[in-house]
């Protein structure tokens, strides 16, 4: 059993696809299949049920997956310890970031980081915050930049970098925009555009409406805030958006609610050694956050 077979197994299990695993590992699909078959031979059990083009973990595969993740994470951690002693700012740095943070908070920091540390290999992945959270927990990602959960897992270190103020918005020609002030009952007469129910924004809206005995009147749904902003701006509905995304095409709704802020920041696993590259990136992020970038 070696790391290449374990990595092929873990990536295939996570992505649910041999072809997607091959793209992630930069090898052929047949090479992934061969490595998984080799691991199955070594452990003496079938790890995946293959039905047509779909695959699913067997009971043996489900039992092996957390152990394989732990082994790979500990080997990666040992490698970081040695690299950190050398003091080099090099090697692979896996970072997951939400689309919103990637577009609105990261560009300047990433430009500085890649210029100052050209030997660091940045593996940047665009994940929804909930997916990135799980990836750090499982050891698949070293660092994640996300909307922070109000109740963080004790295995994770989390730190706030930015506070996003959120406002209910409609287009300038929306009927609500003609009101000086409004209430949730009036707002909810029109369709809302929200991300998935388990996201911070959606949970806040559902909670505020539920406190008033209302069920959200929801229309189109997408997890991309920039897409939501566009749809609100053309009059397709209302939404709750970060202040940084509100421009002249949107109207802030004056409504009776407490100020809403969502914490944006980073998380990493407490039991994993941060690479020198991750430390440098975090220092740059903190500096830029203090400057208000």
């Amino acid at each position: 059993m070696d790391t290449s077979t374990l990595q092929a197994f873990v990536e295939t299990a996570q992505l649910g696809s041999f072809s997607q695993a091959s793209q992630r590992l930069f090898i052929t699909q047949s090479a992934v299949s061969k490595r998984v078959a080799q691991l199955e031979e070594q452990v003496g059990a079938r790890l995946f049920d293959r039905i047509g083009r779909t695959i699913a973990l067997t009971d043996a595969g489900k039992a092996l997956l957390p152990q394989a993740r732990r082994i790979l994470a500990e080997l990666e951690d040992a490698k970081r310890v040695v690299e950190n002693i050398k003091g080099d700012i090099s090697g692979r740095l896996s970072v997951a970031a939400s689309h919103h943070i990637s577009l609105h908070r990261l560009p300047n920091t990433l430009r500085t980081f890649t210029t100052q540390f050209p030997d660091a290999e940045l593996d940047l992945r665009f994940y929804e915050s909930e997916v990135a959270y799980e990836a750090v927990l499982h050891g698949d990602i070293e660092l994640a930049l996300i909307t922070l959960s109000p109740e963080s897992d004790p295995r994770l270190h989390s730190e706030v970098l930015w506070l996003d103020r959120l406002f209910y918005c409609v287009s300038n020609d929306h009927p609500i925009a003609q009101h000086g002030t409004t209430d949730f009952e009036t707002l909810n007469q029109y369709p809302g555009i929200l991300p998935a129910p388990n996201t911070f924004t959606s949970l806040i809206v559902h909670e505020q409406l539920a406190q008033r005995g209302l069920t959200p009147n929801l229309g189109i749904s997408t997890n991309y805030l920039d897409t939501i902003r566009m749809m609100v701006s053309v009059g397709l509905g209302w939404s709750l958006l970060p202040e940084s995304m509100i421009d002249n095409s949107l109207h802030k709704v004056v409504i009776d609610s407490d100020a809403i802020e969502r914490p944006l920041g980073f998380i990493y696993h407490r039991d994993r050694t941060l690479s020198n590259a991750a430390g440098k990136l975090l220092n740059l992020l903190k500096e830029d956050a203090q400057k208000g970038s």
Side-chain angles (χ1 to χ4, degrees):
M1 190 181 300
D2 59 33
T3 57
S4 64
T5 58
L6 288 175
Q7 191 67 57
F9 165 65
V10 169
E11 292 291 350
T12 302
Q14 289 175 173
L15 298 170
S17 166
F18 286 100
S19 62
Q20 290 185 41
S22 70
Q23 294 172 19
R24 177 68 58 80
L25 295 171
F26 300 103
I27 58 177
T28 64
Q29 182 174 335
S30 62
V32 172
S33 299
K34 184 177 180 179
R35 291 180 184 182
V36 171
Q38 182 181 349
L39 183 59
E40 289 177 326
E41 183 178 348
Q42 290 169 339
V43 299
R46 180 180 290 275
L47 300 174
F48 293 102
D49 283 327
R50 301 161 177 82
I51 306 173
R53 294 186 176 182
T54 62
I55 62 171
L57 283 169
T58 62
D59 288 342
K62 292 175 183 177
L64 180 61
L65 183 58
Q67 301 299 323
R69 281 173 166 157
R70 179 183 58 79
I71 292 169
L72 290 171
E74 290 183 355
L75 287 171
E76 186 68 23
D77 197 55
K79 182 180 177 182
R80 286 188 197 126
V81 169
V82 174
E83 289 177 343
N84 285 355
I85 291 173
K86 295 189 296 183
D88 295 338
I89 313 299
S90 60
R92 176 174 167 270
L93 169 58
S94 57
V95 180
S98 69
H99 288 81
H100 175 75
I101 290 177
S102 300
L103 287 172
H104 300 279
R105 303 287 186 176
L106 278 188
N108 289 336
T109 304
L110 290 182
R111 185 182 300 111
T112 302
F113 179 81
T114 55
T115 300
Q116 291 186 4
F117 310 109
D119 293 332
E121 179 189 348
L122 186 62
D123 176 14
L124 180 61
R125 305 182 190 182
F126 304 104
Y127 287 169
E128 294 172 12
S129 291
E130 295 74 22
V131 175
Y133 187 93
E134 291 298 321
V136 172
L137 267 180
H138 292 150
D140 304 324
I141 293 292
E142 183 175 0
L143 192 65
L145 304 167
I146 60 173
T147 301
L148 298 176
S149 171
E151 297 181 3
S152 182
D153 190 293
R155 292 170 291 178
L156 298 179
H157 172 86
S158 64
E159 196 167 326
V160 177
L161 289 174
W162 312 280
L163 283 175
D164 244 356
R165 298 178 66 198
L166 304 178
F167 293 90
Y168 286 94
C169 296
V170 294
S171 65
N172 288 320
D173 56 0
H174 192 283
I176 291 291
Q178 313 312 315
H179 299 192
T181 60
T182 193
D183 52 39
F184 281 98
E185 288 77 7
T186 303
L187 181 70
N188 202 45
Q189 292 175 11
Y190 301 91
I193 305 172
L194 296 176
N198 63 336
T199 59
F200 180 91
T201 300
S202 191
L203 288 171
I204 286 291
V205 173
H206 278 77
E207 180 182 342
Q208 291 195 323
L209 291 175
Q211 289 173 354
R212 294 158 177 84
L214 300 172
T215 300
N217 174 17
L218 300 181
I220 305 168
S221 177
T222 175
N223 279 356
Y224 299 107
L225 291 182
D226 285 271
T227 303
I228 291 177
R229 188 199 65 78
M230 179 276 293
M231 290 191 290
V232 171
S233 71
V234 298
L236 297 181
W238 56 265
S239 192
L240 185 65
L241 291 171
E243 185 174 28
S244 59
M245 298 181 67
I246 300 174
D247 58 17
N248 293 333
S249 67
L250 298 175
H251 172 82
K252 287 183 184 178
V253 176
V254 181
I255 196 166
D256 181 23
S257 70
D258 296 332
I260 303 171
E261 292 182 332
R262 65 171 185 168
L264 307 178
F266 64 85
I267 59 172
Y268 60 80
H269 204 294
R270 293 183 185 274
D271 295 336
R272 304 288 175 238
T273 302
L274 277 182
S275 64
N276 289 338
K280 293 296 184 183
L281 179 59
L282 289 180
N283 287 340
L284 289 174
L285 284 167
K286 292 175 182 179
E287 291 173 6
D288 285 348
Q290 290 175 353
K291 296 174 185 175
S293 63

